[in-house]
Amino acid sequence: MKTLVASVLACASLLTFNHQAAAAPIEIKFSHVVAENTPKGQMALKFKELAEQRLPGKVEVKVYPNSQLFTDSTVLQAMQLGDVEMAAPSLSKFQKYTKQLQLFDLPFLFKDIEAVDRFQQGPHGQKLLKSMESKLLVGLGYLHNGMKQLTANAPIKTPADIAGKKYRIMTSDVLQAQFEAVQAIPLKKPFSEVFTLLQTKAIDGQENTWSNIYSKKFFEVQKYATESNHGLLDYMVVTSAEFWHGLPDDIRGELKKALDEAIAHGNAIALEKSKSDREKILTSGKTELVEISDAERAQWVAAMKPVWKMFEDEVGKDLIDAALKSNQ
Ligand code: SIN
């Protein structure tokens, strides 16, 4: 009798355990490298809020900002290994996985964020979301940050001013070629190291958006910011194919809707921060704005535009043409 009771209890506790296991929410780790008060930081938090609100008890989104979990150079490999479910690296950080996304790094390609948006939402941009499927990565959408500016401890107005200066860049061969085209010295370094590199003067400058320059305090260790708008810093929200396609259809559908809304929220913040963070930096009195004239801008374009030709075969001329068309 004792044995029978013991077996029944064992079965019951096994059933309870199985029930709990079946009911455990799906954990979604979202890793990123920027601060929470940025377009990407806010987008990730909005995604968490919406996903957990609409799928109560079914999903749990854990957001890890500031490179707490992975840096941009390790996150995609970790995703392929199933150690993280979502991330939104800058488009400059995918070159190991697809050469086509190098398009977005070509200097002076898009005239503004509206043109970028037209391209990304058009057929070519949408196709690029699928360009890493063979590497088991799925693009779920684009998120804006903004146009990049050049910071330094000397006023940079023309390409001659930047020659010989060490600039931190993201891990992108296009960005390397862009700085080499103006005789600067590019150094590929993780975002998490930029502040210290600037503070210790191991590098002379860096390129970034107003919101990253503000939220990571680069403006506190750089005396000048040249409003060059020479390139783009946008993101692709990615997930692993195994994780995404393994989700029940209804959960995947709700998560995609939540993400689309979170991206729209992040894009509105990007637009607002490109103005407000610029103002905060300039009113801090720590960084002086350097404006460039049309003639000076023409010098930058002439020096950097040959980079397009260097990467035309890898990127594809059709993509470059489509991007240019989005400027009209
Ligand atoms: C980011 O905005 O995610 C980082 C950009 C950078 O590495 O400069």
mmCIF file of all heavy atoms in Angstrom, residues 86-107:
data_model
loop_
_atom_site.group_PDB
_atom_site.id
_atom_site.type_symbol
_atom_site.label_atom_id
_atom_site.label_comp_id
_atom_site.label_asym_id
_atom_site.label_seq_id
_atom_site.Cartn_x
_atom_site.Cartn_y
_atom_site.Cartn_z
ATOM 1 N N MET A 86 17.312 38.128 -29.090
ATOM 2 C CA MET A 86 17.138 39.333 -29.916
ATOM 3 C C MET A 86 18.258 40.334 -29.684
ATOM 4 O O MET A 86 18.816 40.426 -28.582
ATOM 5 C CB MET A 86 15.788 39.996 -29.617
ATOM 6 C CG MET A 86 14.612 39.205 -30.175
ATOM 7 S SD MET A 86 13.033 39.944 -29.758
ATOM 8 C CE MET A 86 12.918 41.248 -30.945
ATOM 9 N N ALA A 87 18.541 41.098 -30.742
ATOM 10 C CA ALA A 87 19.536 42.174 -30.662
ATOM 11 C C ALA A 87 19.223 43.144 -31.791
ATOM 12 O O ALA A 87 18.420 42.831 -32.685
ATOM 13 C CB ALA A 87 20.941 41.619 -30.806
ATOM 14 N N ALA A 88 19.852 44.304 -31.747
ATOM 15 C CA ALA A 88 19.633 45.278 -32.834
ATOM 16 C C ALA A 88 20.964 45.990 -33.116
ATOM 17 O O ALA A 88 21.110 47.180 -32.869
ATOM 18 C CB ALA A 88 18.545 46.274 -32.444
ATOM 19 N N PRO A 89 21.937 45.250 -33.641
ATOM 20 C CA PRO A 89 23.229 45.888 -33.927
ATOM 21 C C PRO A 89 23.099 46.943 -35.017
ATOM 22 O O PRO A 89 22.171 46.912 -35.836
ATOM 23 C CB PRO A 89 24.096 44.727 -34.429
ATOM 24 C CG PRO A 89 23.401 43.479 -33.987
ATOM 25 C CD PRO A 89 21.941 43.823 -33.965
ATOM 26 N N SER A 90 24.043 47.851 -34.997
ATOM 27 C CA SER A 90 24.093 48.845 -36.067
ATOM 28 C C SER A 90 24.310 48.107 -37.396
ATOM 29 O O SER A 90 24.966 47.056 -37.439
ATOM 30 C CB SER A 90 25.246 49.809 -35.758
ATOM 31 O OG SER A 90 25.967 50.078 -36.903
ATOM 32 N N LEU A 91 23.796 48.668 -38.476
ATOM 33 C CA LEU A 91 23.920 48.022 -39.792
ATOM 34 C C LEU A 91 25.383 47.865 -40.210
ATOM 35 O O LEU A 91 25.694 47.085 -41.100
ATOM 36 C CB LEU A 91 23.151 48.833 -40.836
ATOM 37 C CG LEU A 91 21.629 48.822 -40.654
ATOM 38 C CD1 LEU A 91 20.971 49.906 -41.495
ATOM 39 C CD2 LEU A 91 21.054 47.453 -40.989
ATOM 40 N N SER A 92 26.272 48.601 -39.557
ATOM 41 C CA SER A 92 27.706 48.517 -39.871
ATOM 42 C C SER A 92 28.344 47.245 -39.329
ATOM 43 O O SER A 92 29.500 46.967 -39.617
ATOM 44 C CB SER A 92 28.443 49.703 -39.248
ATOM 45 O OG SER A 92 27.778 50.894 -39.507
ATOM 46 N N LYS A 93 27.609 46.505 -38.508
ATOM 47 C CA LYS A 93 28.238 45.395 -37.790
ATOM 48 C C LYS A 93 27.856 44.017 -38.329
ATOM 49 O O LYS A 93 28.066 43.013 -37.658
ATOM 50 C CB LYS A 93 27.916 45.522 -36.299
ATOM 51 C CG LYS A 93 28.579 46.774 -35.704
ATOM 52 C CD LYS A 93 28.218 47.036 -34.266
ATOM 53 C CE LYS A 93 28.914 48.297 -33.764
ATOM 54 N NZ LYS A 93 28.432 48.767 -32.485
ATOM 55 N N PHE A 94 27.328 43.982 -39.550
ATOM 56 C CA PHE A 94 26.868 42.702 -40.098
ATOM 57 C C PHE A 94 27.772 42.155 -41.205
ATOM 58 O O PHE A 94 27.408 41.188 -41.850
ATOM 59 C CB PHE A 94 25.448 42.847 -40.661
ATOM 60 C CG PHE A 94 24.375 42.978 -39.610
ATOM 61 C CD1 PHE A 94 23.887 44.213 -39.233
ATOM 62 C CD2 PHE A 94 23.849 41.852 -38.987
ATOM 63 C CE1 PHE A 94 22.888 44.339 -38.272
ATOM 64 C CE2 PHE A 94 22.852 41.959 -38.027
ATOM 65 C CZ PHE A 94 22.361 43.206 -37.672
ATOM 66 N N GLN A 95 28.902 42.809 -41.471
ATOM 67 C CA GLN A 95 29.615 42.454 -42.706
ATOM 68 C C GLN A 95 30.128 41.011 -42.740
ATOM 69 O O GLN A 95 30.324 40.461 -43.811
ATOM 70 C CB GLN A 95 30.735 43.444 -43.020
ATOM 71 C CG GLN A 95 31.931 43.337 -42.133
ATOM 72 C CD GLN A 95 33.065 44.221 -42.623
ATOM 73 O OE1 GLN A 95 32.873 45.266 -43.203
ATOM 74 N NE2 GLN A 95 34.285 43.766 -42.377
ATOM 75 N N LYS A 96 30.293 40.387 -41.573
ATOM 76 C CA LYS A 96 30.712 38.973 -41.548
ATOM 77 C C LYS A 96 29.580 38.069 -42.035
ATOM 78 O O LYS A 96 29.790 36.930 -42.421
ATOM 79 C CB LYS A 96 31.066 38.577 -40.114
ATOM 80 C CG LYS A 96 32.557 38.423 -39.921
ATOM 81 C CD LYS A 96 32.980 38.275 -38.507
ATOM 82 C CE LYS A 96 32.521 37.041 -37.759
ATOM 83 N NZ LYS A 96 32.894 37.123 -36.317
ATOM 84 N N TYR A 97 28.358 38.580 -41.999
ATOM 85 C CA TYR A 97 27.183 37.762 -42.287
ATOM 86 C C TYR A 97 26.583 38.059 -43.657
ATOM 87 O O TYR A 97 25.975 37.205 -44.273
ATOM 88 C CB TYR A 97 26.137 37.945 -41.171
ATOM 89 C CG TYR A 97 26.710 37.552 -39.841
ATOM 90 C CD1 TYR A 97 27.409 38.458 -39.052
ATOM 91 C CD2 TYR A 97 26.620 36.231 -39.395
ATOM 92 C CE1 TYR A 97 27.990 38.083 -37.846
ATOM 93 C CE2 TYR A 97 27.201 35.846 -38.191
ATOM 94 C CZ TYR A 97 27.886 36.777 -37.428
ATOM 95 O OH TYR A 97 28.473 36.390 -36.247
ATOM 96 N N THR A 98 26.689 39.307 -44.107
ATOM 97 C CA THR A 98 26.252 39.662 -45.463
ATOM 98 C C THR A 98 26.998 40.918 -45.902
ATOM 99 O O THR A 98 27.141 41.855 -45.129
ATOM 100 C CB THR A 98 24.722 39.911 -45.544
ATOM 101 O OG1 THR A 98 24.431 40.505 -46.807
ATOM 102 C CG2 THR A 98 24.192 40.821 -44.463
ATOM 103 N N LYS A 99 27.430 40.901 -47.144
ATOM 104 C CA LYS A 99 28.166 42.074 -47.657
ATOM 105 C C LYS A 99 27.192 43.170 -48.104
ATOM 106 O O LYS A 99 27.558 44.327 -48.217
ATOM 107 C CB LYS A 99 29.051 41.675 -48.854
ATOM 108 C CG LYS A 99 30.129 40.664 -48.504
ATOM 109 C CD LYS A 99 31.225 41.288 -47.667
ATOM 110 C CE LYS A 99 32.314 40.275 -47.335
ATOM 111 N NZ LYS A 99 33.052 40.622 -46.127
ATOM 112 N N GLN A 100 25.963 42.763 -48.403
ATOM 113 C CA GLN A 100 25.019 43.736 -48.979
ATOM 114 C C GLN A 100 24.681 44.887 -48.029
ATOM 115 O O GLN A 100 24.470 46.007 -48.461
ATOM 116 C CB GLN A 100 23.732 43.022 -49.387
ATOM 117 C CG GLN A 100 23.908 42.143 -50.597
ATOM 118 C CD GLN A 100 22.626 41.415 -50.905
ATOM 119 O OE1 GLN A 100 22.083 40.696 -50.078
ATOM 120 N NE2 GLN A 100 22.122 41.626 -52.100
ATOM 121 N N LEU A 101 24.652 44.582 -46.734
ATOM 122 C CA LEU A 101 24.299 45.644 -45.779
ATOM 123 C C LEU A 101 25.363 46.731 -45.673
ATOM 124 O O LEU A 101 25.138 47.777 -45.075
ATOM 125 C CB LEU A 101 24.014 45.049 -44.394
ATOM 126 C CG LEU A 101 22.724 44.248 -44.264
ATOM 127 C CD1 LEU A 101 22.554 43.732 -42.846
ATOM 128 C CD2 LEU A 101 21.505 45.056 -44.659
ATOM 129 N N GLN A 102 26.521 46.475 -46.295
ATOM 130 C CA GLN A 102 27.566 47.517 -46.334
ATOM 131 C C GLN A 102 27.051 48.766 -47.055
ATOM 132 O O GLN A 102 27.600 49.845 -46.907
ATOM 133 C CB GLN A 102 28.807 47.004 -47.058
ATOM 134 C CG GLN A 102 29.519 45.876 -46.323
ATOM 135 C CD GLN A 102 30.763 45.426 -47.079
ATOM 136 O OE1 GLN A 102 31.873 45.536 -46.583
ATOM 137 N NE2 GLN A 102 30.577 44.918 -48.269
ATOM 138 N N LEU A 103 25.998 48.574 -47.844
ATOM 139 C CA LEU A 103 25.366 49.707 -48.534
ATOM 140 C C LEU A 103 25.161 50.892 -47.596
ATOM 141 O O LEU A 103 25.454 52.040 -47.950
ATOM 142 C CB LEU A 103 23.998 49.261 -49.078
ATOM 143 C CG LEU A 103 23.126 50.381 -49.624
ATOM 144 C CD1 LEU A 103 23.505 50.659 -51.076
ATOM 145 C CD2 LEU A 103 21.649 50.059 -49.513
ATOM 146 N N PHE A 104 24.633 50.588 -46.397
ATOM 147 C CA PHE A 104 24.224 51.663 -45.484
ATOM 148 C C PHE A 104 25.409 52.469 -44.942
ATOM 149 O O PHE A 104 25.209 53.518 -44.349
ATOM 150 C CB PHE A 104 23.399 51.075 -44.329
ATOM 151 C CG PHE A 104 22.066 50.524 -44.764
ATOM 152 C CD1 PHE A 104 21.876 49.164 -44.928
ATOM 153 C CD2 PHE A 104 21.009 51.384 -45.026
ATOM 154 C CE1 PHE A 104 20.641 48.655 -45.328
ATOM 155 C CE2 PHE A 104 19.772 50.892 -45.428
ATOM 156 C CZ PHE A 104 19.582 49.526 -45.583
ATOM 157 N N ASP A 105 26.629 51.948 -45.108
ATOM 158 C CA ASP A 105 27.814 52.675 -44.628
ATOM 159 C C ASP A 105 28.409 53.595 -45.688
ATOM 160 O O ASP A 105 29.319 54.377 -45.376
ATOM 161 C CB ASP A 105 28.900 51.678 -44.187
ATOM 162 C CG ASP A 105 28.668 51.174 -42.775
ATOM 163 O OD1 ASP A 105 27.889 51.814 -42.041
ATOM 164 O OD2 ASP A 105 29.256 50.144 -42.416
ATOM 165 N N LEU A 106 27.964 53.481 -46.939
ATOM 166 C CA LEU A 106 28.583 54.308 -47.980
ATOM 167 C C LEU A 106 28.371 55.786 -47.650
ATOM 168 O O LEU A 106 27.239 56.223 -47.401
ATOM 169 C CB LEU A 106 27.981 53.977 -49.361
ATOM 170 C CG LEU A 106 28.234 52.533 -49.845
ATOM 171 C CD1 LEU A 106 27.535 52.275 -51.178
ATOM 172 C CD2 LEU A 106 29.735 52.239 -49.964
ATOM 173 N N PRO A 107 29.474 56.563 -47.611
ATOM 174 C CA PRO A 107 29.352 57.972 -47.176
ATOM 175 C C PRO A 107 28.552 58.816 -48.164
ATOM 176 O O PRO A 107 28.647 58.616 -49.378
ATOM 177 C CB PRO A 107 30.812 58.441 -47.104
ATOM 178 C CG PRO A 107 31.591 57.474 -47.940
ATOM 179 C CD PRO A 107 30.857 56.176 -47.916
#
